[in-house]
Amino acid sequence: MHLSESLKKAYTSEHCSAPEAQRLAELIAWGPVVFQASRLMVKWGILDLLRDSDQGLTREEIVDKTQLSDYAVKCLLEASLSIGTVLVDAVTDRYTLSKTGWFLTNDPATRVNLDFNHDVNYEGWFHLEESLREGKPVGLRHFGSWSTIYEGLSSLPQQAQQTWFDFDHFYSDSSFPEALRIVFDEHHVRSLYDVGGNTGKWALRCVDYNDDVRVTVLDLPQQIALMQDHIRGKKGSDRIAGYGINLLDDSLAFPTMEQGPDAIWMSQFLDCFSMPQIVSILRRAREAMTDDTRIFIMETLWDRQKYETATLCLVLTSLYFAAMANGNSKMYNTEDMEQCIHEAGLEIEAVYDHLGQGHSILICRKNGE
Protein backbone atom coordinates (compact mmCIF):
# COMPACT_ATOMS: atom_id res chain seq x y z
CA MET A 1 0.00 0.00 0.00
CA HIS A 2 1.26 3.46 -0.92
CA LEU A 3 1.44 5.73 2.14
CA SER A 4 2.95 9.18 2.56
CA GLU A 5 5.66 9.47 5.20
CA SER A 6 3.32 10.95 7.82
CA LEU A 7 0.82 8.13 7.24
CA LYS A 8 3.51 5.47 7.61
CA LYS A 9 4.31 6.88 11.04
CA ALA A 10 0.65 7.05 12.05
CA TYR A 11 -0.75 3.81 10.63
CA THR A 12 1.92 1.15 10.94
CA SER A 13 2.58 1.05 14.69
CA GLU A 14 0.78 1.61 18.01
CA HIS A 15 1.19 5.08 19.52
CA CYS A 16 -1.30 5.15 22.42
CA SER A 17 -0.65 4.10 25.99
CA ALA A 18 -3.35 1.91 27.53
CA PRO A 19 -5.06 4.88 29.31
CA GLU A 20 -4.94 6.95 26.13
CA ALA A 21 -6.44 4.10 24.14
CA GLN A 22 -9.19 3.63 26.71
CA ARG A 23 -10.01 7.35 26.65
CA LEU A 24 -10.17 7.35 22.85
CA ALA A 25 -12.47 4.33 22.95
CA GLU A 26 -14.83 6.21 25.31
CA LEU A 27 -14.75 9.32 23.10
CA ILE A 28 -15.86 7.06 20.26
CA ALA A 29 -18.62 5.53 22.38
CA TRP A 30 -19.90 8.99 23.32
CA GLY A 31 -19.13 10.44 19.91
CA PRO A 32 -22.61 11.73 19.00
CA VAL A 33 -22.98 13.85 22.14
CA VAL A 34 -19.32 14.96 22.01
CA PHE A 35 -20.13 16.34 18.58
CA GLN A 36 -23.37 18.04 19.56
CA ALA A 37 -22.02 19.60 22.76
CA SER A 38 -19.01 20.94 20.90
CA ARG A 39 -21.20 22.25 18.08
CA LEU A 40 -23.32 24.19 20.59
CA MET A 41 -20.23 25.64 22.23
CA VAL A 42 -19.43 27.04 18.78
CA LYS A 43 -22.98 28.01 17.78
CA TRP A 44 -23.79 29.78 21.03
CA GLY A 45 -20.50 31.68 20.94
CA ILE A 46 -19.08 30.33 24.20
CA LEU A 47 -15.76 29.33 22.63
CA ASP A 48 -15.53 32.75 20.96
CA LEU A 49 -16.14 34.48 24.30
CA LEU A 50 -13.37 32.46 25.93
CA ARG A 51 -11.03 33.14 23.02
CA ASP A 52 -11.61 36.88 23.24
CA SER A 53 -11.31 37.16 27.04
CA ASP A 54 -8.00 38.24 28.54
CA GLN A 55 -8.14 36.16 31.72
CA GLY A 56 -10.92 33.69 30.98
CA LEU A 57 -14.51 33.79 32.23
CA THR A 58 -16.39 32.36 35.16
CA ARG A 59 -19.49 30.32 34.57
CA GLU A 60 -21.60 33.19 35.89
CA GLU A 61 -20.04 35.60 33.42
CA ILE A 62 -20.76 33.20 30.55
CA VAL A 63 -24.39 32.91 31.68
CA ASP A 64 -24.67 36.70 31.75
CA LYS A 65 -23.08 37.16 28.30
CA THR A 66 -25.01 34.37 26.53
CA GLN A 67 -28.35 34.66 28.38
CA LEU A 68 -28.40 30.87 28.61
CA SER A 69 -29.50 29.13 31.78
CA ASP A 70 -26.93 28.27 34.43
CA TYR A 71 -27.91 24.63 33.93
CA ALA A 72 -27.19 24.72 30.19
CA VAL A 73 -23.84 26.47 30.63
CA LYS A 74 -22.78 24.16 33.46
CA CYS A 75 -23.57 21.04 31.42
CA LEU A 76 -21.70 22.29 28.37
CA LEU A 77 -18.65 23.52 30.29
CA GLU A 78 -18.27 20.30 32.23
CA ALA A 79 -18.64 18.25 29.05
CA SER A 80 -16.13 20.49 27.27
CA LEU A 81 -13.58 20.03 30.05
CA SER A 82 -13.66 16.28 29.48
CA ILE A 83 -13.79 16.61 25.71
CA GLY A 84 -10.73 18.87 25.89
CA THR A 85 -11.96 22.09 24.29
CA VAL A 86 -11.76 24.23 27.46
CA LEU A 87 -9.56 24.46 30.54
CA VAL A 88 -10.37 25.70 34.06
CA ASP A 89 -8.30 27.38 36.75
CA ALA A 90 -8.92 25.33 39.89
CA VAL A 91 -8.36 28.39 42.13
CA THR A 92 -10.37 31.10 40.34
CA ASP A 93 -12.86 28.85 38.51
CA ARG A 94 -12.22 30.81 35.34
CA TYR A 95 -12.53 28.96 32.04
CA THR A 96 -10.18 29.45 29.10
CA LEU A 97 -9.91 28.04 25.60
CA SER A 98 -7.67 25.00 24.98
CA LYS A 99 -5.69 24.47 21.78
CA THR A 100 -8.36 22.06 20.57
CA GLY A 101 -11.05 24.62 21.31
CA TRP A 102 -9.09 27.22 19.35
CA PHE A 103 -9.01 25.00 16.26
CA LEU A 104 -12.70 24.20 16.64
CA THR A 105 -13.67 27.85 16.50
CA ASN A 106 -10.92 29.30 14.27
CA ASP A 107 -9.81 26.69 11.74
CA PRO A 108 -11.82 27.17 8.51
CA ALA A 109 -11.64 23.49 7.53
CA THR A 110 -12.89 22.37 10.93
CA ARG A 111 -15.80 24.81 10.81
CA VAL A 112 -16.80 23.68 7.32
CA ASN A 113 -16.63 20.03 8.39
CA LEU A 114 -18.64 20.73 11.56
CA ASP A 115 -21.48 22.38 9.63
CA PHE A 116 -21.43 19.74 6.89
CA ASN A 117 -21.72 16.90 9.36
CA HIS A 118 -24.58 18.55 11.24
CA ASP A 119 -26.64 20.03 8.40
CA VAL A 120 -26.17 17.27 5.83
CA ASN A 121 -24.99 14.03 7.43
CA TYR A 122 -25.91 13.74 11.09
CA GLU A 123 -29.40 12.23 10.90
CA GLY A 124 -28.60 10.20 7.80
CA TRP A 125 -25.64 8.50 9.44
CA PHE A 126 -28.07 6.71 11.75
CA HIS A 127 -28.65 4.52 8.69
CA LEU A 128 -24.99 3.85 7.89
CA GLU A 129 -25.32 0.15 8.70
CA GLU A 130 -28.18 -0.32 6.22
CA SER A 131 -26.37 1.78 3.64
CA LEU A 132 -23.21 -0.33 3.78
CA ARG A 133 -25.16 -3.59 3.65
CA GLU A 134 -27.41 -2.52 0.79
CA GLY A 135 -24.95 -0.39 -1.19
CA LYS A 136 -27.51 2.43 -1.25
CA PRO A 137 -27.57 5.84 0.49
CA VAL A 138 -30.34 4.91 2.90
CA GLY A 139 -29.66 7.99 5.03
CA LEU A 140 -30.61 10.23 2.09
CA ARG A 141 -34.28 9.35 2.69
CA HIS A 142 -34.12 11.96 5.44
CA PHE A 143 -34.19 14.60 2.67
CA GLY A 144 -35.99 12.89 -0.22
CA SER A 145 -36.51 9.81 -2.34
CA TRP A 146 -33.70 10.41 -4.84
CA SER A 147 -31.30 7.60 -5.68
CA THR A 148 -28.31 9.95 -5.19
CA ILE A 149 -27.86 13.27 -3.45
CA TYR A 150 -26.77 14.88 -6.73
CA GLU A 151 -30.23 14.45 -8.21
CA GLY A 152 -31.68 16.26 -5.22
CA LEU A 153 -29.17 19.08 -4.75
CA SER A 154 -31.48 21.67 -6.25
CA SER A 155 -34.29 20.51 -3.93
CA LEU A 156 -32.44 20.15 -0.62
CA PRO A 157 -33.58 22.38 2.26
CA GLN A 158 -31.89 25.76 1.89
CA GLN A 159 -29.52 25.36 4.85
CA ALA A 160 -28.46 21.84 3.85
CA GLN A 161 -27.95 22.92 0.24
CA GLN A 162 -25.85 25.95 1.23
CA THR A 163 -23.74 23.87 3.61
CA TRP A 164 -23.21 21.18 0.96
CA PHE A 165 -21.91 23.72 -1.54
CA ASP A 166 -19.80 25.46 1.13
CA PHE A 167 -18.15 22.11 1.91
CA ASP A 168 -17.63 21.22 -1.75
CA HIS A 169 -16.26 24.63 -2.74
CA PHE A 170 -14.02 25.05 0.31
CA TYR A 171 -11.89 22.10 -0.64
CA SER A 172 -11.82 22.69 -4.39
CA ASP A 173 -11.43 26.48 -4.33
CA SER A 174 -8.19 26.36 -2.35
CA SER A 175 -6.58 24.41 -5.19
CA PHE A 176 -7.84 26.53 -8.06
CA PRO A 177 -4.97 29.07 -8.27
CA GLU A 178 -2.32 26.37 -8.65
CA ALA A 179 -4.58 24.29 -10.91
CA LEU A 180 -5.22 27.23 -13.25
CA ARG A 181 -1.48 27.74 -13.62
CA ILE A 182 -0.96 24.06 -14.45
CA VAL A 183 -3.81 23.91 -16.97
CA PHE A 184 -3.22 27.19 -18.79
CA ASP A 185 0.41 28.23 -18.25
CA GLU A 186 2.00 24.79 -18.47
CA HIS A 187 -0.40 23.04 -20.85
CA HIS A 188 -1.80 25.98 -22.85
CA VAL A 189 -5.39 24.76 -22.91
CA ARG A 190 -7.88 26.63 -25.12
CA SER A 191 -10.91 24.31 -25.08
CA LEU A 192 -12.02 22.43 -21.99
CA TYR A 193 -14.79 20.09 -20.86
CA ASP A 194 -15.64 20.65 -17.19
CA VAL A 195 -17.15 17.30 -16.22
CA GLY A 196 -19.43 17.50 -13.20
CA GLY A 197 -19.08 21.29 -13.30
CA ASN A 198 -21.72 21.91 -10.63
CA THR A 199 -22.46 25.65 -10.29
CA GLY A 200 -19.83 26.64 -12.86
CA LYS A 201 -17.35 27.99 -10.35
CA TRP A 202 -14.33 26.39 -12.04
CA ALA A 203 -15.62 27.38 -15.48
CA LEU A 204 -15.86 31.02 -14.39
CA ARG A 205 -12.33 30.89 -13.00
CA CYS A 206 -11.11 29.47 -16.32
CA VAL A 207 -12.66 32.16 -18.53
CA ASP A 208 -11.47 34.83 -16.12
CA TYR A 209 -7.91 33.46 -16.12
CA ASN A 210 -7.66 32.94 -19.87
CA ASP A 211 -9.33 35.23 -22.44
CA ASP A 212 -9.38 32.60 -25.19
CA VAL A 213 -10.60 29.43 -23.51
CA ARG A 214 -14.06 28.02 -24.17
CA VAL A 215 -15.57 25.76 -21.54
CA THR A 216 -18.37 23.21 -21.85
CA VAL A 217 -19.84 22.11 -18.52
CA LEU A 218 -21.14 18.53 -18.47
CA ASP A 219 -23.60 17.70 -15.70
CA LEU A 220 -27.15 16.59 -14.98
CA PRO A 221 -29.73 18.72 -16.82
CA GLN A 222 -31.12 20.18 -13.58
CA GLN A 223 -27.60 21.06 -12.48
CA ILE A 224 -26.91 22.74 -15.81
CA ALA A 225 -29.94 24.95 -15.17
CA LEU A 226 -28.49 25.95 -11.77
CA MET A 227 -25.11 26.57 -13.38
CA GLN A 228 -26.59 28.83 -16.06
CA ASP A 229 -28.41 30.88 -13.41
CA HIS A 230 -25.19 31.19 -11.42
CA ILE A 231 -22.97 32.39 -14.28
CA ARG A 232 -25.50 34.69 -15.96
CA GLY A 233 -24.08 38.17 -16.56
CA LYS A 234 -20.64 37.35 -15.16
CA LYS A 235 -17.37 37.98 -16.95
CA GLY A 236 -16.70 35.43 -19.67
CA SER A 237 -20.03 33.65 -19.29
CA ASP A 238 -20.54 33.92 -23.06
CA ARG A 239 -17.67 31.43 -23.43
CA ILE A 240 -19.31 28.85 -21.14
CA ALA A 241 -21.76 26.32 -22.58
CA GLY A 242 -23.77 23.64 -20.82
CA TYR A 243 -24.32 20.04 -21.87
CA GLY A 244 -26.93 18.09 -19.91
CA ILE A 245 -26.00 14.44 -19.45
CA ASN A 246 -26.56 11.68 -16.93
CA LEU A 247 -23.01 10.45 -16.62
CA LEU A 248 -24.22 7.22 -15.01
CA ASP A 249 -25.95 6.23 -18.25
CA ASP A 250 -23.39 4.12 -20.13
CA SER A 251 -25.22 4.71 -23.41
CA LEU A 252 -24.69 8.48 -23.35
CA ALA A 253 -21.52 9.72 -25.05
CA PHE A 254 -19.52 12.83 -24.31
CA PRO A 255 -20.03 15.61 -26.85
CA THR A 256 -17.53 15.58 -29.69
CA MET A 257 -15.56 18.41 -31.26
CA GLU A 258 -13.97 18.33 -34.69
CA GLN A 259 -10.50 18.66 -33.25
CA GLY A 260 -11.35 17.35 -29.79
CA PRO A 261 -11.06 19.37 -26.56
CA ASP A 262 -7.58 20.28 -25.36
CA ALA A 263 -8.51 19.19 -21.85
CA ILE A 264 -11.15 17.24 -19.97
CA TRP A 265 -11.30 18.50 -16.39
CA MET A 266 -12.65 16.39 -13.51
CA SER A 267 -12.33 18.07 -10.12
CA GLN A 268 -13.61 16.30 -7.01
CA PHE A 269 -15.80 14.39 -9.42
CA LEU A 270 -14.69 10.79 -9.78
CA ASP A 271 -14.93 10.22 -6.03
CA CYS A 272 -18.70 10.53 -6.54
CA PHE A 273 -18.80 7.16 -8.33
CA SER A 274 -17.98 3.50 -7.81
CA MET A 275 -14.88 2.13 -9.48
CA PRO A 276 -16.82 0.43 -12.34
CA GLN A 277 -18.67 3.71 -12.92
CA ILE A 278 -15.37 5.62 -12.97
CA VAL A 279 -14.04 3.26 -15.62
CA SER A 280 -17.19 3.80 -17.71
CA ILE A 281 -16.91 7.59 -17.44
CA LEU A 282 -13.22 7.59 -18.32
CA ARG A 283 -13.77 5.28 -21.29
CA ARG A 284 -16.42 7.64 -22.69
CA ALA A 285 -14.10 10.57 -22.04
CA ARG A 286 -11.39 8.71 -23.96
CA GLU A 287 -13.72 8.42 -26.97
CA ALA A 288 -13.97 12.22 -27.09
CA MET A 289 -10.18 12.66 -26.93
CA THR A 290 -7.59 13.12 -29.63
CA ASP A 291 -3.99 12.10 -29.10
CA ASP A 292 -3.33 15.67 -27.94
CA THR A 293 -6.16 15.82 -25.39
CA ARG A 294 -5.31 15.42 -21.73
CA ILE A 295 -7.60 14.48 -18.86
CA PHE A 296 -6.92 16.40 -15.65
CA ILE A 297 -8.18 14.48 -12.61
CA MET A 298 -8.03 16.54 -9.42
CA GLU A 299 -8.75 14.53 -6.28
CA THR A 300 -7.87 14.49 -2.61
CA LEU A 301 -6.26 11.04 -2.65
CA TRP A 302 -6.05 10.00 0.98
CA ASP A 303 -2.73 8.16 0.74
CA ARG A 304 -0.90 11.19 -0.68
CA GLN A 305 -1.69 13.63 2.15
CA LYS A 306 1.14 15.50 3.83
CA TYR A 307 -0.62 15.44 7.23
CA GLU A 308 -2.50 12.59 8.85
CA THR A 309 -5.31 14.89 10.02
CA ALA A 310 -6.21 15.49 6.38
CA THR A 311 -6.40 11.75 5.78
CA LEU A 312 -8.69 11.38 8.80
CA CYS A 313 -11.12 13.86 7.24
CA LEU A 314 -10.98 12.15 3.87
CA VAL A 315 -11.53 8.55 4.93
CA LEU A 316 -14.45 9.62 7.15
CA THR A 317 -15.92 11.52 4.20
CA SER A 318 -16.18 8.12 2.50
CA LEU A 319 -18.95 7.34 4.97
CA TYR A 320 -20.88 10.40 3.78
CA PHE A 321 -20.78 8.87 0.30
CA ALA A 322 -21.96 5.56 1.74
CA ALA A 323 -24.92 6.85 3.76
CA MET A 324 -25.91 10.05 1.99
CA ALA A 325 -24.47 10.54 -1.49
CA ASN A 326 -24.83 7.35 -3.50
CA GLY A 327 -23.96 4.28 -1.43
CA ASN A 328 -21.07 3.09 -3.58
CA SER A 329 -18.28 5.66 -3.86
CA LYS A 330 -15.56 6.93 -1.55
CA MET A 331 -12.42 8.99 -1.22
CA TYR A 332 -9.98 6.87 -3.20
CA ASN A 333 -6.27 6.24 -2.86
CA THR A 334 -3.70 6.23 -5.66
CA GLU A 335 -3.87 2.49 -6.24
CA ASP A 336 -7.64 2.56 -6.80
CA MET A 337 -7.49 5.54 -9.16
CA GLU A 338 -4.61 4.08 -11.17
CA GLN A 339 -6.56 0.85 -11.64
CA CYS A 340 -9.55 2.73 -13.05
CA ILE A 341 -7.37 4.87 -15.32
CA HIS A 342 -5.59 1.86 -16.81
CA GLU A 343 -8.81 -0.13 -17.28
CA ALA A 344 -10.22 2.82 -19.25
CA GLY A 345 -7.35 2.71 -21.74
CA LEU A 346 -5.47 5.66 -20.30
CA GLU A 347 -2.10 6.18 -18.67
CA ILE A 348 -0.81 8.73 -16.19
CA GLU A 349 1.56 11.22 -17.75
CA ALA A 350 2.27 13.46 -14.74
CA VAL A 351 1.26 13.94 -11.10
CA TYR A 352 1.11 17.18 -9.12
CA ASP A 353 0.72 16.83 -5.33
CA HIS A 354 -0.13 19.07 -2.37
CA LEU A 355 -2.29 21.63 -4.12
CA GLY A 356 -4.47 23.71 -1.80
CA GLN A 357 -6.25 21.56 0.80
CA GLY A 358 -4.40 18.36 -0.13
CA HIS A 359 -5.36 17.89 -3.77
CA SER A 360 -3.42 16.01 -6.41
CA ILE A 361 -3.79 16.35 -10.16
CA LEU A 362 -3.28 13.25 -12.30
CA ILE A 363 -2.77 14.16 -15.96
CA CYS A 364 -3.79 11.31 -18.26
CA ARG A 365 -3.41 10.61 -21.96
CA LYS A 366 -4.50 7.80 -24.24
CA ASN A 367 -2.36 4.73 -23.79
CA GLY A 368 -1.83 4.39 -27.53
CA GLU A 369 -3.63 1.08 -27.99
Side-chain angles (χ1 to χ4, degrees):
M1 177 183 290
H2 174 276
L3 293 173
S4 65
E5 288 305 313
S6 64
L7 299 187
K8 287 179 184 177
K9 293 177 182 178
Y11 294 166
T12 58
S13 61
E14 179 65 74
H15 298 281
C16 290
S17 66
E20 289 169 339
Q22 184 183 35
R23 173 180 167 75
L24 179 57
E26 289 292 356
L27 276 174
I28 293 169
W30 290 95
V33 74
V34 168
F35 174 85
Q36 289 294 355
S38 301
R39 185 185 70 85
L40 292 178
M41 289 287 283
V42 172
K43 180 179 180 179
W44 289 344
I46 299 175
L47 294 184
D48 285 343
L49 288 171
L50 295 177
R51 178 196 61 199
D52 297 338
S53 63
D54 292 332
Q55 298 179 334
L57 298 170
T58 65
R59 189 179 79 244
E60 293 77 15
E61 288 171 333
I62 294 172
V63 168
D64 180 63
K65 290 177 180 293
T66 61
Q67 295 300 295
L68 294 168
S69 70
D70 183 67
Y71 170 79
V73 171
K74 184 183 292 186
C75 284
L76 287 176
L77 286 174
E78 290 173 356
S80 297
L81 281 172
S82 287
I83 293 167
T85 55
V86 303
L87 302 169
V88 68
D89 187 307
V91 176
T92 64
D93 288 344
R94 302 186 78 82
Y95 291 86
T96 55
L97 199 64
S98 72
K99 290 179 182 178
T100 301
W102 187 93
F103 276 102
L104 193 61
T105 193
N106 286 286
D107 179 51
T110 302
R111 292 296 296 270
V112 164
N113 292 338
L114 190 75
D115 291 340
F116 181 62
N117 287 325
H118 180 259
D119 295 340
V120 178
N121 299 325
Y122 194 81
E123 293 182 80
W125 266 334
F126 186 81
H127 301 284
L128 178 61
E129 179 178 355
E130 302 151 78
S131 300
L132 290 171
R133 287 187 180 277
E134 297 177 22
K136 298 177 181 178
V138 179
L140 183 58
R141 295 173 189 167
H142 168 65
F143 289 125
S145 57
W146 315 290
S147 58
T148 72
I149 200 169
Y150 312 108
E151 298 167 41
L153 276 179
S154 61
S155 302
L156 287 178
Q158 184 176 0
Q159 185 59 53
Q161 183 188 86
Q162 182 62 52
T163 298
W164 190 95
F165 282 118
D166 287 346
F167 176 82
D168 184 67
H169 291 160
F170 174 82
Y171 285 97
S172 61
D173 290 4
S174 67
S175 305
F176 281 175
E178 294 165 280
L180 288 165
R181 179 186 57 77
I182 292 167
V183 171
F184 294 106
D185 297 346
E186 295 190 23
H187 292 270
H188 311 294
V189 167
R190 293 297 178 267
S191 58
L192 180 143
Y193 288 172
D194 181 6
V195 185
N198 218 324
T199 61
K201 236 185 173 184
W202 167 253
L204 284 171
R205 293 291 293 272
C206 288
V207 296
D208 181 65
Y209 191 88
N210 184 282
D211 292 335
D212 298 321
V213 68
R214 291 191 171 273
V215 180
T216 301
V217 176
L218 281 64
D219 215 320
L220 291 166
Q222 59 266 40
Q223 197 60 41
I224 293 296
L226 282 177
M227 180 275 293
Q228 290 170 333
D229 286 341
H230 182 253
I231 69 170
R232 187 171 291 114
K234 295 180 179 176
K235 178 184 176 183
S237 59
D238 59 315
R239 289 183 281 123
I240 300 174
Y243 187 88
I245 180 173
N246 180 359
L247 290 156
L248 289 176
D249 188 337
D250 292 347
S251 68
L252 298 180
F254 278 43
T256 56
M257 300 173 61
E258 184 176 347
Q259 296 180 341
D262 293 333
I264 299 176
W265 174 259
M266 301 179 181
S267 172
Q268 290 184 182
F269 171 71
L270 294 180
D271 55 45
C272 300
F273 303 96
S274 68
M275 290 178 67
Q277 290 168 339
I278 292 172
V279 173
S280 170
I281 291 167
L282 290 176
R283 280 177 177 161
R284 282 177 282 150
R286 188 183 189 279
E287 292 171 1
M289 297 171 66
T290 69
D291 290 342
D292 295 325
T293 304
R294 296 295 182 265
I295 297 179
F296 293 74
I297 299 172
M298 188 164 82
E299 289 287 346
T300 44
L301 301 168
W302 68 256
D303 62 319
R304 306 185 78 88
Q305 298 304 305
K306 186 181 294 187
Y307 303 108
E308 192 277 332
T309 300
T311 297
L312 168 72
C313 296
L314 292 174
V315 296
L316 293 180
T317 300
S318 292
L319 302 180
Y320 145 76
F321 285 110
M324 298 298 298
N326 52 34
N328 60 13
S329 73
K330 63 189 295 293
M331 304 306 294
Y332 292 101
N333 62 13
T334 306
E335 182 180 349
D336 290 336
M337 197 58 64
E338 284 181 340
Q339 179 180 330
C340 294
I341 289 167
H342 294 153
E343 286 185 25
L346 301 163
E347 60 185 39
I348 298 173
E349 182 177 70
V351 180
Y352 296 81
D353 284 328
H354 310 312
L355 282 66
Q357 292 283 333
H359 283 82
S360 296
I361 291 181
L362 309 180
I363 300 180
C364 305
R365 64 184 179 192
K366 287 184 171 182
N367 63 6
E369 294 180 4

